[in-house]
Amino acid sequence: MQQPFLDAYHLGCAIPSQCNYIVRTVTPHSSEERKRVQEETDYNVFNFPSDLLICDFLTDSGVTAMTDVQWASLFRGDEAYGRNHGYFALLAAVRDVFERGTENPNKLVSNLTIDEPTAIAAIMDEVSNPPSGGFVNGGVHQLVRPNFFLVPQARCAEAIIFPTIKDIVTQVGIKVPKTMLSSPEAVSWKAESFAYSGPTYCIASNGFFDTTAAHVSAAGFEAINLVTPNILQQLEGTPSGKNHFLGNLDLNLMQDLIAKRGPELVMVILTITNNTSAGQPVSMKNIRLTSELCHRHNVPLIFDAGRFAENIYFIRKYEPGYSTCSTYQIAREMFSYCDGFIFGAKRDALSNIGGFFCFRDKGLFHQKFSVGGKDVGVILKEKQILNYGNDSYGGVSGREIMAIASGLYQVMQPDYLERRVEQVGGLALGMKNAGVAGVIMPTAGHAVYLDMNKFFEGTGREVSEFGGLGFVIELIRLYGIRACELGPFAFEWDLKPEAEQANMFNFVRFAIPRNMYNEEHIQYTISCVSELYRNRERIPKVALSYGKNLRLRHMHCGIKPTYHNGELHSDLAL
C-alpha cells in the first residue's frame, strides 16, 4: 500500500505566510565611501546615513514594514483635531487586545475602513454608554477620570509620567502600609544587594533599558535593576530549543528591597520582553508572583509592554498550561496582573510612530498617586495636552492612529509571531554554526545578542577599549550593516562605580525590523559577522572624542577608533 502524501506541515520546511508587493532597491556603496562618511560624522553610529547601509539592525522600533491591512486603515485616517474616529478605533483595540481576551474582537478599525455606518453607530454608542473600570475610560469618564494618554512614542510617556510622580511623592509623600512605616529598617539600612545611602525614592525593574533608566534618573529617582542572577552563565547552558524565561524579575531581590526600603519604593516596572537581559521573556508565573508581591505592599506594578506579543509567543510555546490558549486569552491574563502599562506602538503594533500610557480606572496607581484632592490622571492629561496637543491625537496623525489600531490586531496572529521569532532564531543559529562565539541562546523575540566578552575571548581586549563599539564601526565600514552596542559604552561603564561595572553586560544587539528582511539579508549578515569574528584581533579600540558625560551619550557623542592591529583590507568588502 502506498504511503499517503505528507501534508504541508510535515515537509520539514516553513510554509510561506506573507508575500511582498512593494520593494525598495538597495544601492551598493564601497567601504571607502562609508569610511569617509564615518570620519565626517565622528564615527557616531546613530549619525551614519541609512541610505549607505544594506542591513540596518540598529533597532526594531519604528522601522516596521506595515501590513497591507494597516495601509488600508491608514487611508481612512481622520485628521480632525478633536476626537478623530481613529481615536475611538484605538480605544476599542486596546480593550479588545489587553482586556477582553476574545478571539473575535470588535475591530472598530475594520468597520471604519470598510463599513462606516456601522462604525459611526458604535462610536455614538460609546459616547452614550461610556465604558469605565478598565485601562481605557470612554466618553465623559475620560474627561473626569482620564487614564489613557496617547503620545508620539513610549519615551514621551516616560517624560511626563516620572517627573509627575516625583513631584507628587516629593510634595506629599506616598501612601504606604503602617507596617512598613513602623519598621526600624525603613529609615536607615545598608544591604549588600544594593549600593545605597540616604533616603531616596526609587523605582525597581527586571531590567531598565537605557532610555527608561535615563528618564527615571532625570526625574530624580534611583533606578534599581532586579535582574536574574548569573543570567549569562544560565544562557550559556540553555539549548536553543528551550526557554527558561531568564527575563524574569528576581523575587528574592525584590523581597529584600521591600523589606529594607519599602516606603521609598514608588513603583515596579516589568519590561516584557526584557530588552536589557538579552531580550529574554518573562513567564506568566513570574508576572503573577511579582504582582502579588507588589500589591501585598501597596506598590503599583507597571508594564513596559512594547514587545508584549513576542512575550505571549514564548509563554504559549514554553510555559506549561498555555499551549492551547489563544494569544488574546494570554494577553488578558497577563495584563490582569498590572496596574498600568507604557506601550510603544513602534514595536508590537507594527507601526512607525506612536505610543501611550494607561492605568486601571480607580486602581492602585490611581489611588496611590491621586493625593491632596488632585486626580493623577488629570495632572498627566494636562501635561499631555501641554506637550503633545489634544488628548485624542497626542502628537500623532490620524492616519497613524488608524495604523496603530489595526496593527494591534495584526501582531496577535500566531502565524506572524511564529515567523517573527523563527527569523530571529535563524540569524542566531546561523552565526553560531558559522563558529561565531558569544551568540546568546535561546534567542529573544526581536533581536540577536552577541556577548562581546566571549567574542573577544583570548585577544586581550579590555572592557575600557569598547570592543563591541569597534565591532559595530567595522561592520558598517566593511559591509554596510549597522548593529547597536548595548554594553560598556552605551551604559557608561567608565562612569560607574566598580560594583556596577562588574555586573554590566557587554552586548551587541542585532534588532531585526518586523516584516522587512528576507533570507538573503540573514545569510549576508551571518557571512559578514563570521568574517569579522575571524579577524577579531584587528577590530579597533575605541575612545570618546567628546560627549563623555552626556545623557544617552551613545546617540550624540564623538568617537575615535584606533586600529592598533591594522585594518581589514577594503577588498574584503563590497
Side-chain angles (χ1 to χ4, degrees):
M1 183 176 178
Q2 290 183 327
Q3 294 293 321
F5 288 111
L6 292 174
D7 64 32
Y9 292 96
H10 294 88
L11 292 174
C13 62
I15 301 174
S17 57
Q18 67 175 24
C19 58
N20 301 324
Y21 279 101
I22 297 177
V23 297
R24 173 176 290 178
T25 301
V26 175
T27 304
H29 295 274
S30 68
S31 58
E32 287 81 7
E33 287 179 295
R34 289 191 290 266
K35 180 181 179 182
R36 177 173 56 81
V37 173
Q38 284 181 313
E39 291 173 343
E40 293 170 349
T41 55
D42 290 339
Y43 286 93
N44 187 288
V45 173
F46 289 79
N47 204 26
F48 189 86
S50 63
D51 281 343
L52 301 182
L53 298 170
I54 296 170
C55 300
D56 194 352
F57 300 110
L58 183 64
T59 182
D60 63 316
S61 177
V63 293
T64 297
M66 293 196 304
T67 68
D68 56 345
V69 175
Q70 285 180 284
W71 279 102
S73 302
L74 183 144
F75 277 106
R76 286 286 295 138
D78 173 13
E79 302 302 336
Y81 189 84
R83 292 300 184 266
N84 62 84
H85 65 215
Y87 173 75
F88 292 98
L90 180 57
L91 299 192
V94 172
R95 296 182 193 117
D96 283 343
V97 171
F98 299 105
E99 292 184 349
R100 289 172 176 151
T102 175
E103 296 183 60
N104 298 298
N106 296 333
K107 292 188 178 181
L108 176 58
V109 66
S110 298
N111 286 333
L112 282 168
T113 305
I114 62 175
D115 187 8
E116 189 171 20
T118 300
I120 292 174
I123 291 172
M124 292 176 65
D125 182 64
E126 166 149 340
V127 173
S128 300
N129 302 287
S132 63
F135 289 122
V136 186
N137 284 345
V140 69
H141 298 308
Q142 190 61 230
L143 297 177
V144 178
R145 293 190 313 279
N147 67 339
F148 180 85
F149 312 91
L150 182 61
V151 291
Q153 60 178 11
R155 197 175 306 176
C156 300
E158 294 172 351
I160 62 174
I161 296 166
F162 298 130
T164 298
I165 300 306
K166 183 60 189 301
D167 288 344
I168 291 171
V169 300
T170 300
Q171 293 171 13
V172 298
I174 55 177
K175 304 170 186 176
V176 297
K178 291 181 179 179
T179 53
M180 280 190 180
L181 292 173
S182 62
S183 169
E185 293 180 319
V187 178
S188 176
W189 68 280
K190 184 176 179 64
E192 294 180 359
S193 302
F194 310 102
Y196 171 73
S197 60
T200 303
Y201 288 116
C202 62
I203 297 175
S205 176
N206 60 329
F208 282 104
F209 196 54
D210 56 355
T211 52
T212 309
H215 277 295
V216 168
S217 176
F221 291 112
E222 182 183 359
I224 296 177
N225 283 312
L226 307 175
V227 180
T228 298
N230 304 315
I231 181 174
L232 285 179
Q233 289 82 350
Q234 294 188 60
L235 285 167
E236 289 170 9
T238 304
S240 59
K242 297 181 181 179
N243 196 294
H244 298 302
F245 296 97
L246 295 175
N248 285 352
L249 181 141
D250 188 284
L251 294 167
N252 290 327
L253 290 178
M254 175 76 170
Q255 289 175 326
D256 185 27
L257 176 64
I258 290 174
K260 307 291 178 60
R261 204 170 162 187
E264 296 171 351
L265 180 59
V266 174
M267 68 178 74
V268 171
I269 297 177
L270 201 61
T271 307
I272 50 175
T273 54
N274 191 337
N275 197 8
T276 301
S277 294
Q280 296 297 301
V282 182
S283 71
M284 188 74 83
K285 179 180 179 180
N286 186 257
I287 292 171
R288 175 174 52 80
L289 292 176
T290 301
S291 175
E292 291 174 356
L293 183 57
C294 284
H295 293 161
R296 211 160 42 237
H297 297 282
N298 202 44
V299 177
L301 175 61
I302 304 297
F303 288 170
D304 181 346
R307 298 181 180 91
F308 81 99
E310 291 164 9
N311 204 82
I312 286 173
Y313 170 88
F314 288 111
I315 290 174
R316 193 168 187 242
K317 185 162 186 174
Y318 294 110
E319 190 162 1
Y322 291 95
S323 62
T324 60
C325 296
S326 72
T327 54
Y328 285 94
Q329 289 170 330
I330 295 172
R332 179 178 60 185
E333 180 179 348
M334 187 176 359
F335 284 85
S336 72
Y337 296 126
C338 73
D339 302 293
F341 60 98
I342 301 166
F343 182 70
K346 296 163 64 177
R347 300 181 186 92
D348 275 356
L350 306 180
S351 298
N352 303 127
I353 199 68
F356 59 81
F357 170 63
C358 58
F359 59 82
R360 200 175 301 280
D361 183 31
K362 299 180 181 179
L364 179 57
F365 181 93
H366 182 253
Q367 294 173 22
K368 185 163 187 171
F369 300 121
S370 295
V371 294
K374 296 181 179 180
D375 187 287
V376 65
V378 173
I379 298 172
L380 289 169
K381 184 73 74 177
E382 287 177 338
K383 292 192 175 184
Q384 177 202 25
I385 294 172
L386 180 65
N387 288 282
Y388 308 118
N390 187 285
D391 64 328
S392 59
Y393 79 91
V396 185
S397 73
R399 294 184 291 276
E400 292 288 353
I401 292 172
M402 287 287 285
I404 294 168
S406 179
L408 279 171
Y409 298 111
Q410 297 277 293
V411 80
M412 295 293 280
Q413 297 175 1
D415 286 346
Y416 158 76
L417 290 171
E418 183 79 22
R419 180 178 73 247
R420 167 70 173 161
V421 177
E422 286 297 317
Q423 184 181 53
V424 175
L427 176 58
L429 191 59
M431 290 183 185
K432 191 176 182 68
N433 290 341
V436 178
V439 182
I440 296 295
M441 303 286 267
T443 54
H446 72 290
V448 173
Y449 290 73
L450 295 183
D451 178 0
M452 302 313 289
N453 291 332
K454 292 290 184 182
F455 186 94
F456 285 110
E457 196 168 45
T459 65
R461 185 64 56 104
E462 298 291 336
V463 175
S464 60
E465 295 172 346
F466 302 129
L469 184 57
F471 166 77
V472 171
I473 288 172
E474 287 297 84
L475 200 57
I476 291 174
R477 179 179 75 88
L478 291 168
Y479 304 115
I481 297 175
R482 178 162 56 184
C484 185
E485 194 270 359
L486 291 175
F489 172 68
F491 291 107
E492 303 171 354
W493 177 90
D494 47 310
L495 303 179
K496 296 291 193 292
E498 287 188 13
E500 291 187 42
Q501 288 180 340
N503 295 319
M504 187 173 291
F505 296 131
N506 189 1
F507 291 149
V508 166
R509 183 189 69 181
F510 292 76
I512 301 180
R514 294 164 179 81
N515 294 328
M516 184 183 294
Y517 292 150
N518 57 35
E519 189 62 19
E520 287 182 347
H521 299 91
I522 300 301
Q523 292 303 320
Y524 176 68
T525 302
I526 292 168
S527 298
C528 297
V529 171
S530 62
E531 179 64 12
L532 269 179
Y533 178 71
R534 191 173 67 84
N535 292 275
R536 59 193 179 278
E537 290 187 357
R538 300 160 71 182
I539 291 173
K541 303 188 283 189
V542 175
L544 279 79
S545 56
Y546 59 85
K548 177 180 179 178
N549 296 304
L550 294 172
R551 289 188 190 276
L552 299 173
R553 67 186 186 184
H554 52 300
M555 296 186 182
H556 53 138
C557 71
I559 298 162
K560 180 66 175 178
T562 302
Y563 292 92
H564 58 298
N565 249 346
E567 296 185 31
L568 287 174
H569 296 295
S570 60
D571 58 6
L572 293 176
L574 288 176

